[in-house]
């Protein structure tokens, strides 16, 4: 595997981090536009790390099965936990 | 019983790699629980950062985020080196990754001491408790990663990790990139939002 994609991914991650740091001052901290932009940037960065550095892009079904099962379990179990936390500790 | 009855079925992946992915899946659930607790509690408050308490420092932590991304790059370069049989490259890039993780921890320790001296402790309400829980839980993962890298680095220095053992470095890399990935999300949720 060539080193080039890794450096390109690294460059993209560095640029996205710089953009992230600029977002609150450009779009204003706490606004809906800022929230949407920051979440999209974080998701893009996480996806780049998973796909290229963790090689998910070239993995087969077995690894994807583990990842998908994890996401499904999190999706099913976290809402009740979130409700419970809000009920007990939220004000 | 034939001798082949006990032999493992041919596998596309090293067992350790699948094991690491399963571990990362369970670990992701732990992180997700912390993040959900943080988000739910934050949304339930009208004023999240208590009176007189400092907000989390964005500039210094932004640099730390960049540092962790750099260490992810050096980790994939270490993998590439071992796959090519470049022993010196493996040692160099693993060393650089370990250094990156160590500096990350030192900066986080400095940040924590700065916040604590400014009056923000784990007992400073839900803001303090969730901040230290999330960043501390992640910090422990970085510490574990630095120790894990150190163990593989010692093996590499002794010449025990060659092309045939490249999967060891790949599995280590999976853990390290996961720690980086989680920090990318934590940095956005805790520091920037």
């Amino acid at each position: 595997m060539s080193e080039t994609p890794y450096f390109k991914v690294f460059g993209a991650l560095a640029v996205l981090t710089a953009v992230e740091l600029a977002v609150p001052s450009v779009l204003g901290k706490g606004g809906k536009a800022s929230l949407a932009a920051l979440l999209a940037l974080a998701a893009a960065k996480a996806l780049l790390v998973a796909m290229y550095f963790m090689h998910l892009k070239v993995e087969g079904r077995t690894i994807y099965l583990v990842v998908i099962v994890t996401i499904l379990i999190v999706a099913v179990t976290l809402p009740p936990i979130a409700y419970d936390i809000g009920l007990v500790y939220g004000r | 019983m034939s001798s082949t009855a006990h032999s493992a079925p041919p596998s596309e992946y090293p067992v350790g790699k699948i094991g690491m992915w399963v571990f990362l899946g369970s670990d992701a659930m732990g992180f997700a629980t912390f993040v959900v607790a943080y988000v739910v509690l934050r949304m339930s408050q009208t004023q999240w950062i208590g009176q007189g308490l400092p907000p989390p420092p964005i500039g210094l932590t932004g640099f730390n985020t960049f540092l962790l991304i750099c260490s992810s790059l050096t980790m994939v370069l270490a993998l590439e080196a071992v796959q090519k049989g470049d022993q010196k490259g493996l040692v160099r890039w693993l060393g650089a990754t370990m250094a990156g993780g160590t500096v990350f921890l030192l900066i986080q320790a400095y940040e924590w001491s700065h916040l604590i001296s400014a009056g923000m402790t784990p007992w400073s309400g839900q803001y303090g408790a969730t901040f230290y829980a999330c960043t501390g839980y992640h910090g422990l993962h970085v510490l574990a990663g630095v120790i894990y890298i150190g163990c593989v680095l010692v093996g590499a220095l002794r010449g025990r990790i060659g092309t045939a053992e490249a999967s060891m470095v790949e599995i280590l890399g999976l853990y390290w990139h996961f720690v980086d990935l989680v920090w990318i999300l934590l940095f956005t949720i805790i520091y920037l939002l």
Side-chain angles (χ1 to χ4, degrees):
Chain A
M1 197 181 288
S2 159
E3 287 179 7
T4 316
Y6 294 144
F7 281 101
K8 281 182 182 167
V9 171
F10 169 73
L13 288 170
V15 169
L16 289 174
T17 303
V19 173
E20 268 185 337
L21 290 169
V23 163
S25 53
V26 174
L27 296 176
K29 195 168 180 176
K32 281 182 184 172
S34 175
L35 176 76
L38 286 170
L39 289 178
L41 286 165
K45 285 169 68 183
L47 204 62
L48 280 174
V49 171
M51 285 293 158
Y52 292 96
F53 286 170
M54 297 175 86
H55 304 116
L56 265 185
K57 197 168 186 283
V58 292
E59 290 293 2
R61 282 187 210 162
T62 312
I63 301 299
Y64 271 93
L65 187 69
V66 175
V67 174
I68 290 167
V69 167
T70 302
I71 292 170
L72 285 177
I73 293 173
V74 167
V76 170
T77 56
L78 277 191
I81 292 172
Y83 177 75
D84 223 24
I85 293 166
L87 205 64
V88 176
Y89 297 104
R91 268 188 254 158
Chain B
M1 196 176 285
S2 73
S3 61
T4 54
H6 292 290
S7 61
S11 173
E12 187 184 352
Y13 296 105
V15 174
K17 184 172 172 179
I18 296 176
M20 178 54 83
W21 272 106
V22 171
F23 167 73
L24 295 181
S26 64
D27 210 22
M29 292 178 208
F31 274 111
T33 308
F34 273 106
V35 169
V36 161
Y38 176 87
V39 171
V40 169
L41 293 175
R42 184 168 173 176
M43 285 172 70
S44 70
Q45 303 282 325
T46 48
Q47 189 187 5
W48 178 238
I49 300 176
Q51 198 88 38
L53 293 177
I58 291 175
L60 187 64
T61 316
F63 172 75
N64 235 4
T65 304
F66 178 70
L67 194 64
L68 218 49
I69 290 169
C70 290
S71 75
S72 259
L73 175 69
T74 54
M75 180 56 86
V76 282
L77 294 178
L79 174 61
E80 200 160 66
V82 74
Q83 285 171 340
K84 286 178 181 170
D86 175 7
Q87 198 70 19
K88 281 184 183 172
L90 171 65
V91 169
R92 180 172 64 242
W93 293 123
L94 277 182
T97 310
M98 195 176 169
T102 306
V103 175
F104 177 91
L105 286 173
L106 291 173
I107 291 177
Q108 193 170 50
Y110 171 78
E111 178 200 324
W112 275 30
S113 66
H114 180 76
L115 288 171
I116 289 168
S117 64
M120 184 189 159
T121 68
W123 298 271
S124 303
Q126 292 177 345
Y127 166 55
T130 52
F131 173 83
Y132 286 107
C134 290
T135 57
Y137 189 59
H138 178 268
L140 282 175
H141 279 74
V142 177
L143 178 63
V146 167
I147 294 167
Y148 186 5
I149 295 168
C151 294
V152 177
L153 183 58
V154 168
L157 282 167
R158 289 179 179 171
R160 289 181 186 163
I161 297 177
T163 313
E165 291 79 26
S167 67
M168 281 178 69
V169 181
E170 187 184 4
I171 293 164
L172 165 66
L174 284 175
Y175 177 82
W176 192 253
H177 300 309
F178 173 76
V179 169
D180 180 21
L181 189 155
V182 168
W183 182 254
I184 284 169
L185 300 175
L186 282 181
F187 176 60
T188 298
I189 293 166
I190 294 175
Y191 290 82
L192 296 177
L193 292 181

